[in-house]
Amino acid sequence: MRPIQMVDTKTQYLHIKDEIDSAIHSVLDSAAYINGKPVQDFAAALSTYTGAKFTIPCANGTDALQIAMMALDLQPGDEVITPSFTYIATTEVVALLKLKPVFVEVDPKTFCMDPQSLRAAITPKTKAIVPVHLYGHAAPMEEIMQIAKEFNLYVIEDNAQAIGCDYTFSDGTKKKTGTIGTIGTTSFYPSKNLGAYGDGGAIFTNDEALAHKLKMIANHGQEKRYYHELVGCNSRLDTLQAAVLNVKLKRLDQYNAARRKVAAFYNKALEGNKHITVPFVAPYSDHVYHQYTILLNDADRDGLSAHLAEQKIPSMIYYPVPGHKQKMFSSLKLPELDLATTDSLTGRVISLPVHTEMDEEQLTFITQQVLNFLNR
Ligand SMILES: *Cc1c(COP(=O)(O)O)cnc(C)c1O
């Protein structure tokens, strides 16, 4: 059996090696390392793929969130509501910009922002909501957008984990996650569903004026070279990374389908076991399984991960410490929060390997080992 890894970017590369190598070589030949043609080609292709009117490439998914918040002219002290149960980047940029992170609960079935908790957290100082499409499942965008409209709030979708995911509205229309809110952001970190061979990110919007501003902020606040109208930053997608991403974007649906196949295998083997809960998929959401995360109902998580590790099966905890318990926010003197669902999930989630290169032999072995541990 091939060794099992959480992600296997190497094997994926070998399947597309010729195309990737030639894309990289053409960048080397052109010597257009910064803002070369592949960057514009990629932005255009990604707009076509997602349906977003405007796509602004940038250096990584964290910058994408930061630039989004900068473009909305939020003022120090303004409140930004995010789930506590997310990767740190989502909330770190809020604090970095001297805004106030307000942590809310997630739905224990979808791991995404709970609209009731969101509604309860809104104050006159609230300016923006940042839902996260965690693990590749969409946050309940229709409800979130309704609440945003009611209270006149911006919505920034953190779509780093769900590129390619479809959201279905109650009238049947579909949109890609990341294109529903005021702004959407994503990451091309190598292990993401659309991964580069280094860092990368992008920002989406359907608002032309906002697109213009986002683009300027990502480029030192300038439109005309050396004439700086806004305080911005330097956040670019490398031409080399764009060249890689152009090759991989064409395969994104195929890659997401491969992840779904892995998840279906896991579900079939593990569903119904009383010790665990397999991932739930809400009727409005598709799932692109950035992670395949199970919830332990009673089983010992350390024991399970140690048992798997003994069998050379990696597993991960995303995330062991929720935002509201991170030391980095202690200086903000945030109110003590009682986020019981988040605290409970933090102690009970475990993610199994999921990527585009897994075979049945590996999946059979993993599920057997999980079941051996659970049923002993
Ligand atoms: C990966 C990730 C980010 C940050 O992306 P980087 O490209 O690593 O900066 C932000 N939010 C979420 C939910 C992520 O998973």
Side-chain angles (χ1 to χ4, degrees):
M1 187 172 59
R2 294 186 300 130
I4 298 170
Q5 297 172 261
M6 278 310 275
V7 288
D8 186 353
T9 48
K10 174 77 186 279
T11 306
Q12 195 193 56
Y13 162 65
L14 293 176
H15 288 307
I16 53 174
K17 186 177 184 317
D18 291 347
E19 217 178 317
I20 291 276
D21 291 3
S22 111
I24 288 176
H25 275 108
S26 73
V27 176
L28 299 181
D29 282 337
S30 76
Y33 307 122
I34 301 292
N35 284 333
K37 188 169 177 293
V39 178
Q40 288 108 56
D41 290 349
F42 176 63
L46 196 54
S47 274
T48 304
Y49 176 83
T50 60
K53 278 202 186 128
F54 305 95
T55 299
I56 297 101
C58 65
N60 57 67
T62 310
D63 275 11
L65 286 159
Q66 181 186 324
I67 294 163
M69 287 179 208
M70 288 168 78
L72 295 174
D73 285 329
L74 306 182
Q75 299 303 310
D78 283 351
E79 294 178 3
V80 176
I81 301 180
T82 80
S84 178
F85 194 75
T86 179
Y87 180 56
I88 197 65
T90 319
T91 26
E92 183 183 33
V93 297
V94 176
L96 184 76
L97 295 173
K98 306 280 180 228
L99 309 169
K100 187 178 161 200
V102 175
F103 295 109
V104 297
E105 283 285 26
V106 290
D107 177 322
K109 281 158 91 180
T110 64
F111 306 103
C112 291
M113 183 180 268
D114 170 27
Q116 270 174 349
S117 182
L118 159 65
R119 188 177 274 279
I122 294 171
T123 76
K125 290 191 128 181
T126 306
K127 290 288 154 55
I129 310 167
V130 188
V132 182
H133 305 304
L134 203 74
Y135 301 151
H137 185 284
M141 289 307 295
E142 189 158 3
E143 266 182 279
I144 291 170
M145 294 308 288
Q146 268 157 13
I147 295 171
K149 198 170 167 201
E150 193 179 324
F151 293 92
N152 197 22
L153 306 172
Y154 297 120
V155 176
I156 302 170
E157 295 174 74
D158 183 344
N159 195 36
Q161 298 191 2
I163 189 111
C165 179
D166 282 317
Y167 186 93
T168 308
F169 289 83
S170 45
D171 67 0
T173 53
K174 281 181 195 281
K175 279 187 186 171
K176 291 282 183 205
T177 53
T179 69
I180 302 164
T182 323
I183 302 178
T185 65
T186 200
S187 163
F188 307 119
Y189 185 81
S191 63
K192 298 283 157 81
N193 290 34
L194 179 58
Y197 294 159
D199 279 306
I203 312 166
F204 307 104
T205 187
N206 294 318
D207 179 323
E208 187 166 7
L210 202 48
H212 185 71
K213 201 164 167 193
L214 289 161
K215 204 170 171 183
M216 280 175 71
I217 292 172
N219 183 26
H220 299 293
Q222 66 190 337
E223 188 181 11
K224 189 171 163 200
R225 209 170 196 183
Y226 306 127
Y227 292 79
H228 305 273
E229 293 170 43
L230 301 164
V231 173
C233 56
N234 173 21
S235 189
R236 293 185 282 242
L237 179 67
D238 277 1
T239 309
L240 281 167
Q241 299 307 335
V244 168
L245 289 165
N246 277 323
V247 174
K248 292 182 71 174
L249 176 58
K250 290 185 283 183
R251 293 170 172 88
L252 178 58
D253 284 343
Q254 172 198 323
Y255 288 159
N256 282 340
R259 288 172 177 274
R260 270 189 216 106
K261 215 173 144 196
V262 170
F265 190 103
Y266 280 142
N267 282 343
K268 192 158 177 247
L270 303 176
E271 209 162 20
N273 186 291
K274 66 179 190 299
H275 303 291
I276 60 168
T277 306
V278 301
F280 171 81
V281 185
Y284 52 77
S285 181
D286 182 15
H287 205 317
V288 293
Y289 293 101
H290 175 59
Q291 299 300 341
Y292 183 89
T293 303
I294 57 174
L295 196 54
L296 304 182
N297 301 333
D298 53 11
D300 160 26
R301 186 169 66 180
D302 289 344
L304 174 58
S305 84
H307 172 78
L308 294 177
E310 267 167 39
Q311 305 299 322
K312 297 201 163 47
I313 300 169
S315 61
M316 290 290 282
I317 311 303
Y318 302 112
Y319 297 92
V321 184
H324 72 287
K325 299 226 161 128
Q326 293 288 357
K327 259 195 196 152
M328 68 152 71
F329 300 119
S330 58
S331 65
L332 300 182
K333 308 233 171 339
L334 299 175
E336 276 284 313
L337 285 174
D338 178 24
L339 299 180
T341 302
T342 294
D343 290 339
S344 159
L345 295 178
T346 299
R348 292 164 54 215
V349 288
I350 183 165
S351 301
L352 300 177
V354 54
H355 55 77
T356 58
E357 311 302 319
M358 297 188 79
D359 61 39
E360 284 215 12
E361 189 187 9
Q362 293 174 317
L363 291 167
T364 304
F365 182 66
I366 295 168
T367 49
Q368 270 169 2
Q369 290 303 326
V370 171
L371 292 170
N372 280 355
F373 180 83
L374 295 176
N375 297 332
R376 69 186 178 179

